[in-house]
Amino acid sequence: MAYRVGSHWFAGPVHVDFNLTNRCNLACRHCHASSGEPLLAELGTADVMRIVDSLYHLGVLSIAFAGGEPLVRPDIAEILRYAAALPGMSVSVITNGLSLTPALRAKLAPIKNNLTINVSIEGSTAENFGRLRQSPSGSAAAPALFFERIKQSIRALVADGFTVSTNMTITRQSLKDVVATHRLAVVELGASALVAIKFFPGGYGSSLAHILEPPVPAWLDVFAELTRYKLAGDLPGLQVSVPAAWEFYLPLIAADLDIVAAEQAWGYVGTARASSNGPRDIGDAAGFADLCIDSDGKVYPSVLLAGEPDALAGDLRRDTLASIWRHSTVLNGLRRLTVSDIEGACQFCALKDLCGGGSRARAFALTRRLSGPDATCPLIAQPGNAGARDEARQNTPPRIPAVRRSWTVGVGRHAIRVLRLDRGCEVRTRGHVWHCPEGTAVALEAAAEADGTSDLTLALRHETAGNGLCPDRVGKILAGAAAVAGTEASARP
Ligand SMILES: C[S@@+](CC[C@H](N)C(=O)[O-])C[C@H]1O[C@@H](n2cnc3c(N)ncnc32)[C@H](O)[C@@H]1O
């Protein structure tokens, strides 16, 4: 019998944030990555490609390249082209948009159907943009010039047929600017999305949290108002990124809005509620489905923990990714954590099944402990119970299966990825991960029967129907499904 993830752990991460350099041509006041100067020994082109290969082999479905400013790397087009050529890999690059020259656009044109360029626009006006983004030289005129250049870059990308998404950071000062920024980015400039990222108190932002963090009552009001627009079908392409699920669910509850309808309208489901989380009750995917690789090859549970020595999971200059993923003390510690291990009152909270203990990265930023309370949440200011289960946790290490072989079929940005494990297999599609101890065929059948309507899922169903499957046929099944869907399968040892 095949089942969704829960009874054991992902054989590899599902999404990876990959910082390509810490160098940056802007000086943003809020930068959680503390960017500016490069890290001491940053990865070269061949190292990056080797790591991208290992991500593919471990079944990663999406990579977001960022930094620092990734476009200051002279080999950026080479790296993006390499990653985008992997079948079914969803690839994005997050950029401040200042280096999107015609020459770079031309180099990226061949992969435009498999690349999302995410430009940080940060506001509807040069003034709002300049509250966060400044020139390293401190020039007062620079933000206005940059803002114009970024808008021109977005227009040019859209005209060339790229998929362009945009980002803005939601701070106390920009709470009321979301609708206007959406109008500028999506309606006027033609971007397909605006991702509104709620401020995170890390890096340079940590010392400005008292100025930039949106106050909870204001956040509750603004997010409820935005949700009403979304429920009415307005603000197409507006997405939200919050450090913790309570920041999504609490405003809905306070305003008596329908949670499931809001999830559908935003396309967001908290990790603790997602089926792929299975019995795990922690609502943060860091180290479980998500991982971050920093520009010096160091590995962290999530991008919001990058650069934190106490959250260091491993170093790709010394170890393989597969080994770090399976054996890292930091990652396994996070995987063993349950809501009742979190200091404070999370375990008694009525929202715990929706939220799953808040953001582990913000808890770390505020307390320096991954099991600390996410004290931005208004519901948890209660006495702690840390450490009660430390011993039990150490005695029950999670079992992370090793990947022996992997296959992928990609249709555009959709993929079915099959990982042959020590025992059985893991089949990944967008939105679902299936484990099957009996073997690949049963999991493939389950994946084919999953609620999917893509050409590929239909084709896979066609290929698996009544074929008397055995695991050795997986490559043929995928190749056949790919042919039916009009695409290609690839097998990578
Ligand atoms: C760290 S930047 C790196 C990529 C690139 N240099 C850029 O400017 O987009 C990635 C995104 O994180 C956002 N960001 C930076 N610091 C943040 C913070 N403290 N909280 C939330 N978002 C932040 C940025 O505004 C940007 O959209």
Side-chain angles (χ1 to χ4, degrees), residues 360-372:
R360 292 301 85 221
R362 191 165 45 206
F364 187 87
L366 300 176
T367 69
R368 313 310 295 167
R369 292 184 304 283
L370 286 165
S371 61

Side-chain angles (χ1 to χ4, degrees), residues 24 26 28 30-33 35 66-70 94-96 118-120 122 132-133 167-169 197-202 205:
C24 195
L26 280 183
C28 301
H30 68 309
C31 183
H32 68 72
S35 297
E69 173 50 42
I94 308 175
T95 171
N96 61 31
N118 236 289
V119 185
S120 300
E122 297 294 12
L132 293 180
R133 309 219 123 182
N167 286 346
M168 74 176 287
T169 311
I197 308 172
K198 188 164 179 272
F199 171 78
F200 176 80

Side-chain angles (χ1 to χ4, degrees), residues 391-448:
E391 207 179 316
R393 284 211 307 263
Q394 277 169 21
N395 290 336
T396 52
R399 278 188 49 243
I400 317 281
V403 179
R404 298 287 171 222
R405 199 159 176 223
S406 67
W407 297 264
T408 305
V409 185
V411 174
R413 296 177 186 208
H414 296 262
I416 289 188
R417 190 152 296 167
V418 180
L419 308 173
R420 175 79 55 75
L421 308 178
D422 292 337
R423 282 186 60 236
C425 78
E426 193 171 294
V427 174
R428 298 178 171 194
T429 61
R430 255 168 104 90
H432 295 298
V433 179
W434 302 84
H435 283 301
C436 179
E438 284 92 358
T440 310
V442 184
L444 270 173
E445 278 172 357

Side-chain angles (χ1 to χ4, degrees), residues 42-43 51 81 84 109 192 231 278 346 365 390 402 406 413-414 429 468 471 483:
E42 299 203 321
L43 300 166
I51 293 167
R81 286 161 70 145
S192 57
L231 288 169
C346 278
D390 278 356
S406 67
R413 296 177 186 208
H414 296 262
T429 61

Side-chain angles (χ1 to χ4, degrees), residues 158-408:
V158 171
D160 284 355
F162 284 92
T163 302
V164 186
S165 182
T166 51
N167 286 346
M168 74 176 287
T169 311
I170 306 187
T171 60
R172 177 197 289 254
Q173 294 73 23
S174 67
L175 272 166
K176 293 279 162 89
D177 196 31
V178 178
V179 174
T181 307
H182 173 270
R183 191 181 313 119
L184 171 66
V186 175
V187 182
E188 290 174 28
L189 300 177
S192 57
L194 169 68
V195 185
I197 308 172
K198 188 164 179 272
F199 171 78
F200 176 80
Y204 302 148
S206 61
S207 58
L208 295 176
H210 59 292
I211 299 170
L212 300 177
E213 183 79 70
V216 170
W219 171 253
L220 297 185
D221 287 349
V222 167
F223 190 67
E225 189 187 330
L226 292 174
T227 302
R228 286 192 196 94
Y229 281 122
K230 294 290 286 181
L231 288 169
D234 295 334
L235 304 177
L238 178 65
Q239 297 164 21
V240 71
S241 168
V242 285
W246 66 261
E247 286 156 304
F248 182 88
Y249 292 110
L250 194 55
L252 306 181
I253 292 166
D256 206 16
L257 294 169
D258 185 319
I259 286 178
V260 174
E263 284 177 336
Q264 281 166 358
W266 283 104
Y268 172 96
V269 179
T271 303
R273 260 172 72 69
S275 58
S276 63
N277 206 35
R280 185 174 183 262
D281 65 358
I282 289 286
D284 192 321
F288 176 66
D290 290 358
L291 196 69
C292 174
I293 297 167
D294 216 346
S295 51
D296 55 0
K298 295 203 169 120
V299 178
Y300 299 90
S302 78
V303 69
L304 296 178
L305 288 162
E308 295 287 1
D310 290 341
L312 179 65
D315 187 340
L316 288 166
R317 292 193 190 272
R318 288 206 293 267
D319 269 317
T320 65
L321 189 66
S323 163
I324 294 169
W325 180 257
R326 293 182 76 192
H327 303 302
S328 152
T329 311
V330 165
L331 298 183
N332 283 328
L334 271 171
R335 291 163 185 155
R336 289 184 200 111
L337 201 68
T338 67
V339 171
S340 51
D341 296 322
I342 292 175
E343 300 162 39
C346 278
Q347 61 180 311
F348 307 113
C349 178
L351 246 66
K352 80 171 179 191
D353 293 343
L354 285 173
C355 168
S359 160
R360 292 301 85 221
R362 191 165 45 206
F364 187 87
L366 300 176
T367 69
R368 313 310 295 167
R369 292 184 304 283
L370 286 165
S371 61
D374 174 1
T376 312
C377 172
L379 305 176
I380 61 158
Q382 303 270 330
N385 63 337
R389 285 167 188 77
D390 278 356
E391 207 179 316
R393 284 211 307 263
Q394 277 169 21
N395 290 336
T396 52
R399 278 188 49 243
I400 317 281
V403 179
R404 298 287 171 222
R405 199 159 176 223
S406 67
W407 297 264
T408 305

Side-chain angles (χ1 to χ4, degrees), residues 29-73:
R29 299 168 68 215
H30 68 309
C31 183
H32 68 72
S34 305
S35 297
E37 295 304 314
L39 298 185
L40 266 185
E42 299 203 321
L43 300 166
T45 317
D47 296 325
V48 170
M49 289 177 177
R50 181 178 48 80
I51 293 167
V52 166
D53 267 341
S54 62
L55 296 179
Y56 180 87
H57 183 66
L58 281 178
V60 170
L61 291 172
S62 67
I63 307 177
F65 291 104
E69 173 50 42
L71 300 196
V72 301
R73 276 187 75 124

